[in-house]
Amino acid sequence: MSDYIVEMKHITKRFPGIVANDDVSLGIKKGEIFALLGENGAGKSTLMSILSGMYEPDEGEIYIRGEKVQISSPNHAAKLNIGMVHQHFKLVSDYTITENITLGIEPIKKFAGLFPYVDIRNANRKIEELSKNFGLEVDPTKKIADLTVSMQQRVEILKVLYREAEILIFDEPTAVLTPQEIDFLLGIIEGLRNGGKTIILITHKLEEIKKVADRCAVLNKGKLIDVLDVKKTPVNLMAQLMVGREVNFESEKVPAQFKEEVLKVEHLTVKNEDGFEVVKDVSFTIHSGEIFAIAGVADNGQVEIADTIAGLTKVSGGKILLEGKDITNESIRNRTETGISYIPEDRQSFGLVLDFDLSTNLALKQYYREPFSSKGILNKEEFEQFGSNMIDKYDIRSGQGIKTQVRSMSGGNQQKAIIAREIELQSPLMIFVQPTRGVDIGAIENIHRMMIQERDKGKAVLLISLELDEIMNVADTIGVIYNGQLQKIASSESLTTNEVGEYMMGAKHE
Amino acid sequence: ACGNDSANKNEAKSGKGEEGLKIAIVTSPSGVDDGSFNEDNYNGILNFIKKHPTATVKAVREETGDLAAAVQAVADIVADYDVIVTPGFQFAGISSIAVENPDKIFILNDSEPAPVGDQKEFDNIYAMNFAEQESGFFAGMAAALETKSNKVAVVNGIAYPSNVNYQFGFESGVNYVNKVYGKDVKSVELSGYAGTDVTGANVGGNYAGSFADEATGKVIGNALIKQGVDIIFVAAGGTGNGVFTAVKEAKGDVKVIGCDVDQYDDGVNGSKNIVLTSGVKFMSKNVEKVLNSVVDGSFKGGNVVLYADTESTGFIKEEGRHQLSEDTLSKMNEAYELVKDGTIVPASNFNGHTPDKFPGLK
Amino acid sequence: MDTIIIDGLSFALPLFILAIGGIYSEKSGIINLALEGIQGFGAFVGALSAVLIANASGMDVQNLFYVALIFSMIGGMTFSIIHAVLCIKFKANQVISGVVINILALALTTFLTTQINALVFGAASDKFRLGVSERFTIEGLANIPVIGAVFTNVYPFEVIIIVIAFFAWYLLYKTRFGMRLRASGENPHSVDAAGVNVLKIRFSAVLISGLLSGLGGMCFAYSISANFSSNIYMGYGFLAIAALIFGNWRILPTLAACLLFGFAKSGGAFIAQSMALPSSFTDLFMILPYVLTLLLLIFFSKSNRAPRALGEIYDKGKR
Amino acid sequence: MSKDKKEKFFSYSLIRPLSNEKWQPISIPLVSILISFIAAAVVILLIGKNPIQAFYNLFQGAGILPKPSYAGYKSMVTDFLSLLNAMTPLVFASLAVAVAFKAGLFNIGVSGQMLVSGFLATIIVGYSGLDAVIAKPLVLLVGMVAGGLIGGLVGWLKYKFNINEVVTTIMLNYIAQYVISFFIQMFYIDPVSRQSQYISEAARLTLVNVEIANLKMDIPLGFILAIITAILVKFVMDKTVVGFEMKAVGSNRNAAKYAGINVGRNTVLAMVMSGGLAGLAGVTYYLGHFSSIQPKVLSSLGFDSIAVSLLGNSHPIGVIFSSFLVSIIDQGSTYMSSQAGIRQEISSVIIGLILLVSACGEYLKFKVRRLKEKEVDRKERES
Ligand SMILES: Nc1ncnc2c1ncn2[C@@H]1O[C@H](COP(=O)(O)OP(=O)(O)OP(=O)(O)O)[C@@H](O)[C@H]1O
Ligand SMILES: Nc1ncnc2c1ncn2[C@@H]1O[C@H](COP(=O)(O)OP(=O)(O)OP(=O)(O)O)[C@@H](O)[C@H]1O
Ligand SMILES: [Mg+2]
Ligand SMILES: [Mg+2]
């Protein structure tokens, strides 16, 4: 009997053109928080998907509590008390919290002793209780569609707990959370560990690992590099091991040189589908050579601002001027032409056509003009040429190069592809929404560097991020949004992280 | 070389040794099993084969019901047969094939061949039409004689000449009974279903507007029953099935009169039968007759209309296949003789008479 | 006026049960354009069974109404297996599978009907003749003005459909199976992650769909002509799909859509009769249900939403 | 170890010929067709007939193989031309389905669009007495415009009111069927044929009964156009900005919108193209293959084309071949039925089977890939 609760031995998993896991062996002790670290596409998700029964390994063995198992399905994994909180939540948005949590193990009662029905009322009570026990309060009768991202994540965690999982896997759980929420989540995770559960945590954020993890495995290109004792390993060594080079956490930048106005937003008001005002009378200006960041807790209207500027959402009041030209009612295409690059929040349903190949996706904003096409006829060679250049320039990794179907690429690399495409447009205004979400630290560094580079070239950059660190790090000017209103606009030097946090919570305003 | 021989091998009824007459029947989408028009023609061939066992028949179905397709289907197979039987107006266009294949014989039913140039009759086409108005006349008589509510009706498909013939014949029959036997029977017409014949004239009647719309048939049937009609002559093809169903579902004492062929079997309704009798065209008999003429060498092409005088039209009077009273039967038999000898000439679409005024209506 | 209600109901309810069949399949994520073929095949099996049993036992087909109904359900379910296997096991495009099944159903049933009539009954015929279904009237209620028509000349199957529809509603919205089924159509990955076999759920959903459609087909056969023949393929399967989309994939609104079709259809016939126009004009009134649907959809479609995963081939690896 | 053997058998008989992904768009349908013919052969055997014989007759009937005897003025050439004549509208109809499909739309209403364009072309040009030189192009134009307008309406309703195009097209099918039936019955009926009156020869897109070398043949002018159109469609879809945008909209509406593509315009445009193609199918059907219209009948071609377009992988050139195959089976069935004594429904059953099997093409592809991977694995293990 070994002292590991989970042991993975010589796991290999291949996908067309790539070995996602290459002879990986790991042991995880009961009651520890075990972190997985690695660049985008290193094989972290794949490895954990194997453990949670989503994939079967091509080679290798798995031992749970010392017993050899073949985990054939998530159901089987659940029986072994393994539960995974996926980054892309697997929730039915039309269903209530209770319905989602109990899905698959619904409590049954019989009507007139004959007709079975799902006993929702009882389940509601149980879940309310459970959520209180773990400090994850939710209203079980609420529909998923009405929840914030962090609430949805709570539901995912509750789902796993409801199934009495002992081994909990979290795949990049913090990528979509605000700093406060992250702290809260990490607290929960520690609480779970202290309650005797075993936790596996995938994350790109070293400080999180440092904060809660006991040990940490580093993967690179499918291979296990090392397993580290977190307490004893300095952060930059972890980073170095993972990326294979020295990483700079603080972005170096020269002071900004503001030039002429590029974007001017005046009294912008936006309503959502239900007619509810999500952006209220927002005004700000971004200059050439300026990185303007909007800080705020998720769902406070910042994404809508970006969507509206890019033309995806209609304006219900106010004006948008780009380089002095009123673009309030312009088509999306015209805005792009006038000069907007846009990295959208939702890369899978907006940023990419997942069934197209990489080269096509890279040309998605330019296909219609010279040299990609002339007189309405596409020039395929130009697509390929351009694609290959971008892959090299931005280090986009995938199984089959420009011919890779984007769907099969790792999330981080999908993000890189979008960034490459948008920066390459060289628009005077660049809008970055959550540009580093799900991206490894090496790549984050690159993205930040590129943003600053573009600024220095005289571009105006609008950055929208939930990560305060990121904002403090790269922004020249910060606007803090709360409840659809800009609470404060000031230069980044004049604000402390704490102040921004207070504005974000609506606790402080002008 | 492989097609012909094996075709014969595959054919169960084919004789050994000597070559028999090779017959094909090409039909509209409903096929030779339609229990009605096509089947009756087919039976004529089968009866012929019973007496000439070396002869063979092959049934081919054209699936679209389109005219051009029907002709194409005949063209596809004409090379391999001696006689082609084509029941249905859809086949009027075979005349061009007939001209191109003078050694083949065509038996066309229900239409005249389409003219080729000026030619309207062809040596190798025997085109037969029946005097539907006579069959309709007997149906009308039967209805008028048997009705208790004194309300009867005829349901048709579309007001093409053959259907108008049935309708006018039926109305002639009703009027004849009213006049001769002093009854007061009304032929009910639903206002919304008046027919417009091919000349654009309003001919009244109950036209469903289709030959294949059972649902509308049922609507009309129900509406008629609601108006108190207790005998319906159904000359509406597939649409007629709906009328049958309406009558079967109606609990009252309502009956129908079949059309074209003996439809008694369609009338079974539990232990009862709703078919009073059927106003028919004796097609199988005539098909057989023509086939006989082919083998004995007396075949002669031409376009003919067949009347009661050759016993080609009439009604069903075999024991157990109808529910006419003795009295009705004898009155109808009387009239049959008068139709046969030309004393009574029921109105048809274009014979110049009307149901209110035709020879024989005293 | 009564006729509008009576005929309207006897058309709307079979359409409704077909549409419920469609809802089951589509709520689970499988587009079912095969309704048309399945209802025909169901009616074929129902009619064939009735005729065969009548032939073997010497019973009157008339009395085999319920036998026919039961076998039509079995038949519809059996035939729907093709759709299920194609879409679920073989990952075929669901629209195409549906269309192909329709083509196959028409070809097979016409072929088999004539073949069986010739071989088994020795009589050439392209249809199976059924006894008509007895209609009943609930005396007291039938006398209520207007509403009374609902209780007049009712086919027994109308009652059966209402009962089954109620059960279908209960199964879909109240039970474990129903919860999982609807979730499979919204987000199959969540169902899979919950340890439930999405493919099995979808398979059962398609089979239920076949069962209900088969019943619908049989009811049409009884209500229109009390025959089985290729006339059963009148496009009602497609109409049912239109109804369920109109009803936003929910049972009650779909009932409303079906009633609309039914009443517009019988109403059209009624107007045609009362306007005293030549029969050719009936065609113009026949478009009433379809035009009405399009017009209403203009107002009601905005918020319509298909099950999110409808038509998606479920593949665990894909997200 | 019989499982291993079985696998080996599969790998040699199936994978080898199928594993080349480049050829899969061709090899997979071919295998599907083969499988379905085998299945059909079993059916034919079951009813006690000779399948080889039947298939042979099928091809004879379609003008692919010579018949032992021909009627006057007929030969294999004339049969073959009839085949092309029948195939022409099917090519157009399948292209119509394929184009919509690429843009993520299902055009279930090809039949209705065909009927409307056929009818309008009939009454506008077919009865006009115009000269052939003007009439024929005009027929095409009217067909295309009429079909395009209906298609456009469908697309517009979808874009503007979110009305599911499946519903719209089904409804429009019914409406077209009834309304046109009404007009034919009222104004254009031929009492003998009970169909619409025949159109003038000048307007007809098929030259009928052309006498050449003692043969009377039907020359389908539309056929050449169909081939050109298919190539054109392929070009537009693969090589042009318009096609690119339509495919993007079909693949991911959100991303298309984000990329600056006008989703509404492309939805409408795709349906206009699809409808226009359906219109061409309509005129080559009602004013080419046929020359009059049956009232109240929707051609089944519009539905068959959905499956045919699949069989051709929704690929314009593939569609030509799949239409060809399906037309052969359709056209040959009368002769087969007459020669082999097999009911024509069998031919529909064969078509059904082919489509059924080819609907599983994706699965075949998937299986082949899996088997190939396994083989690679085994080889690796062995070495
Ligand atoms: N189902 C699949 N089919 C093909 N390739 C796959 C599949 N799943 C993963 N891959 C590939 O395997 C590699 C590892 O992917 P994985 O998602 O495990 O990486 P990751 O470490 O989680 O990356 P990230 O940090 O971006 O999430 C990637 O190159 C990815 O493209
Ligand atoms: N059907 C598929 N074919 C190819 N690759 C796939 C397929 N499905 C998933 N993948 C890839 O498999 C990997 C694992 O998926 P998973 O959902 O765990 O990703 P993730 O690492 O959480 O994603 P993200 O980086 O966006 O956070 C991803 O890289 C994804 O792109
Ligand atoms: Mg990952
Ligand atoms: Mg990731």
Side-chain angles (χ1 to χ4, degrees), chain B residues 214, chain C residues 36 39-41 43 109 216-218 220-222 227-236:
Chain B
E214 297 183 340
Chain C
E36 175 76 1
Q39 60 96 24
F41 197 87
T109 53
M218 196 76 245
F220 274 129
Y222 270 112
N227 279 328
F228 172 82
S229 72
S230 55
N231 275 329
I232 196 85
Y233 301 102
M234 293 279 284
Y236 295 149

Side-chain angles (χ1 to χ4, degrees), chain A residues 91 94-95 104 106 116 118, chain C residues 170 174 176 179-180 187 305:
Chain A
L91 297 170
D94 273 4
Y95 279 21
E106 305 86 348
V118 178
Chain C
Y170 157 79
K174 293 291 156 202
R176 195 180 253 192
M179 288 231 345
R180 296 173 179 184
N187 184 355
R305 188 179 62 74

Side-chain angles (χ1 to χ4, degrees), chain A residues 15-16 40-41 44-46 48-49 54-55 84 86-88 90 171-172 175 202 204 347-348 354 405-414 437-439, chain C residues 315-319:
Chain A
F15 289 115
N40 293 122
K44 307 176 295 290
S45 299
T46 305
M48 287 304 113
S49 296
M54 305 288 288
Y55 292 139
M84 178 153 170
H86 298 271
Q87 185 193 347
H88 296 273
K90 297 180 190 284
D171 192 352
E172 297 185 42
I202 302 179
H204 291 298
R347 60 184 172 231
Q348 299 219 325
L354 291 178
Q405 209 192 31
V406 169
R407 185 184 293 284
S408 76
M409 288 166 49
S410 91
N413 281 302
Q414 291 177 353
R437 168 163 161 189
V439 167
Chain C
D315 187 341
K316 280 189 191 193
K318 205 162 160 174
R319 10 163 243 192

Side-chain angles (χ1 to χ4, degrees), chain C residues 144-211:
Chain C
I144 308 171
V146 188
I147 309 283
V150 175
F151 306 100
T152 312
N153 269 337
V154 181
Y155 285 106
F157 66 68
E158 295 180 41
V159 180
I160 296 174
I161 287 175
I162 299 277
V163 172
I164 291 184
F166 181 76
F167 265 94
W169 172 84
Y170 157 79
L171 184 65
L172 192 59
Y173 291 104
K174 293 291 156 202
T175 66
R176 195 180 253 192
F177 173 72
M179 288 231 345
R180 296 173 179 184
L181 189 150
R182 286 180 292 129
S184 302
E186 288 293 327
N187 184 355
H189 298 277
S190 69
V191 179
D192 200 35
V196 177
N197 190 332
V198 176
L199 304 186
K200 262 190 202 153
I201 297 267
R202 288 189 165 178
F203 212 96
S204 337
V206 175
L207 291 205
I208 293 177
S209 170
L211 182 142

Side-chain angles (χ1 to χ4, degrees), chain A residues 14 312 332-333 342-344 348-353 355-356 360 364-365 367-368 373 376-378 380 383 421-422, chain D residues 235 237-242 244-245 247-249 251-262 369 373 377 380:
Chain A
R14 299 184 194 93
L312 285 161
I332 298 174
R333 172 65 44 88
Y342 183 34
I343 294 161
Q348 299 219 325
S349 55
F350 281 90
L352 298 165
V353 182
D355 291 322
F356 282 6
T360 314
L364 199 58
K365 286 266 178 92
Y367 66 90
Y368 58 91
S373 59
I377 313 287
L378 301 174
K380 282 281 152 79
F383 276 67
R421 179 183 69 210
E422 297 303 318
Chain D
F235 178 78
M237 279 299 164
D238 287 357
K239 298 263 159 37
T240 68
V241 168
V242 174
F244 182 94
E245 293 193 347
K247 282 193 291 188
V249 170
S251 194
N252 181 346
R253 294 170 82 82
N254 286 335
K257 184 180 171 194
Y258 157 83
I261 296 169
N262 187 330
R369 207 176 53 222
E373 276 166 27
D377 264 12
E380 260 175 24

Side-chain angles (χ1 to χ4, degrees), chain C residues 74-194:
Chain C
I74 297 175
M77 189 158 90
T78 315
F79 202 60
S80 66
I81 291 178
I82 304 181
H83 190 53
V85 169
L86 241 65
C87 295
I88 297 166
K89 171 108 180 84
F90 290 158
K91 303 185 187 336
N93 178 305
Q94 299 167 4
V95 169
I96 303 219
S97 164
V99 172
V100 170
I101 284 173
N102 291 338
I103 294 173
L104 206 62
L106 174 63
L108 264 182
T109 53
T110 33
F111 172 66
L112 290 176
T113 307
T114 46
Q115 201 81 349
I116 290 171
N117 267 318
L119 291 179
V120 181
F121 303 109
S125 169
D126 61 352
K127 53 175 173 272
F128 295 128
R129 212 173 285 123
L130 299 161
V132 295
S133 148
E134 294 288 343
R135 305 173 79 151
F136 65 88
T137 299
I138 305 172
E139 282 313 332
L141 296 173
N143 298 330
I144 308 171
V146 188
I147 309 283
V150 175
F151 306 100
T152 312
N153 269 337
V154 181
Y155 285 106
F157 66 68
E158 295 180 41
V159 180
I160 296 174
I161 287 175
I162 299 277
V163 172
I164 291 184
F166 181 76
F167 265 94
W169 172 84
Y170 157 79
L171 184 65
L172 192 59
Y173 291 104
K174 293 291 156 202
T175 66
R176 195 180 253 192
F177 173 72
M179 288 231 345
R180 296 173 179 184
L181 189 150
R182 286 180 292 129
S184 302
E186 288 293 327
N187 184 355
H189 298 277
S190 69
V191 179
D192 200 35

Side-chain angles (χ1 to χ4, degrees), chain D residues 308-326:
Chain D
V308 170
S309 130
L310 151 89
L311 182 59
N313 238 328
S314 295
H315 185 285
I317 307 302
V319 157
I320 295 179
F321 288 98
S322 57
S323 305
F324 187 60
L325 177 75
V326 168

